[in-house]
Amino acid sequence: AKIDLYREAGLMVYIGGTLFEAFIVRNMFTEYKDLLRKWDLNMCEVSDGSIEISHKEKCHYIKELAKEFNVVSEVGSKDENRLIAPYKWIELMQKELESGSWKVIAEAREGGNVGIYNKGGDVRSDLIDEILTKINSNDILWEAPKKSQQVWFIKLLGSNVNLGNISWDEVIPLETLRIGLRADTFFDYIKK
């Protein structure tokens, strides 16, 4: 019923990457695809934040799923102590896009304090700048659970920037940021 409700509202529906990982760690890839078909989902997420698989294997899953489903894949680590060099982010993103990902998700977790952010939640702007030299921003879904992070990306990439990991109760406040109805982005939205 929930999936139908989302679909009726015109939303693209997919179940999170952790469920994908739960199937993969149990060697149940076929059953995972069967579940997507059973629930009539045409989209899925491939991630490796909880399990250890090689990037080659991850790209294989992306390639296989992309034959039938719209795939998003996640790059980055959920471990706040693991910093990935910018060139590695770019390499991983490129390979996942080449393997068939529709968009790559730049990891931040619900806390917005890992991956593309530092432990305090500040944007690693040098990392973002470097990624954007090689990867089209339209191909990236930036996780931005905090208002300050959302504002930063809207100011950098415009009101239609792909943002993710937005809590259900933050959807309307984010939309007001996007259309300049909050002081943070009021003047950014006015056309000159």
Side-chain angles (χ1 to χ4, degrees), residues 156-168:
L156 179 70
L157 298 170
S159 60
N160 290 321
V161 60
N162 300 315
L163 297 177
N165 219 337
I166 309 300
S167 174
W168 67 270

Side-chain angles (χ1 to χ4, degrees), residues 6-189:
Y6 288 144
R7 204 176 273 127
E8 287 170 15
L11 299 173
M12 298 171 70
V13 181
Y14 70 95
I15 45 183
T18 304
L19 186 60
F20 163 80
E21 294 178 51
F23 275 83
I24 296 307
V25 78
R26 291 168 176 84
N27 200 25
M28 297 174 65
F29 183 56
T30 300
E31 291 84 352
Y32 176 74
K33 291 189 292 184
D34 290 342
L35 178 68
L36 296 177
R37 292 180 193 116
K38 176 183 173 187
W39 288 350
D40 195 26
L41 294 172
N42 60 1
M43 191 169 176
C44 62
E45 179 182 339
V46 173
S47 66
D48 57 356
S50 301
I51 62 173
E52 297 236 359
I53 58 174
S54 71
H55 195 249
K56 183 177 178 179
E57 184 178 0
K58 183 180 180 187
C59 288
H60 169 75
Y61 287 124
I62 293 168
K63 202 172 284 186
E64 285 302 307
L65 287 165
K67 293 175 184 175
E68 187 175 349
F69 306 97
N70 204 6
V71 178
V72 292
S73 59
E74 191 169 59
V75 173
S77 175
K78 294 182 187 313
D79 181 352
E80 68 180 35
N81 296 313
R82 183 169 176 232
L83 287 181
I84 300 172
Y87 82 90
K88 193 67 175 172
W89 278 85
I90 292 167
E91 179 185 307
L92 297 172
M93 287 178 162
Q94 285 174 330
K95 287 182 179 175
E96 292 180 22
L97 289 165
E98 290 166 6
S99 294
S101 284
W102 170 59
K103 297 211 183 294
V104 289
I105 301 168
E107 175 69 68
R109 295 205 77 171
E110 294 81 9
N113 60 350
V114 299
I116 56 175
Y117 306 107
N118 65 25
K119 290 179 185 180
D122 296 321
V123 178
R124 294 177 55 203
S125 57
D126 55 335
L127 170 63
I128 306 305
D129 290 343
E130 190 72 25
I131 289 171
L132 290 172
T133 65
K134 301 288 183 185
I135 308 291
N136 186 315
S137 64
N138 292 325
D139 292 332
I140 304 170
L141 194 155
W142 309 96
E143 289 192 335
K146 296 180 179 179
K147 177 185 169 192
S148 61
Q149 298 163 347
Q150 297 160 13
V151 168
W152 192 90
F153 277 107
I154 290 169
K155 287 179 176 283
L156 179 70
L157 298 170
S159 60
N160 290 321
V161 60
N162 300 315
L163 297 177
N165 219 337
I166 309 300
S167 174
W168 67 270
D169 58 346
E170 290 296 321
V171 172
I172 292 173
L174 170 58
E175 190 60 17
T176 62
L177 285 171
R178 288 185 187 276
I179 62 174
L181 292 179
R182 308 258 313 257
D184 308 86
T185 56
F186 184 83
F187 288 103
D188 299 286
Y189 191 78

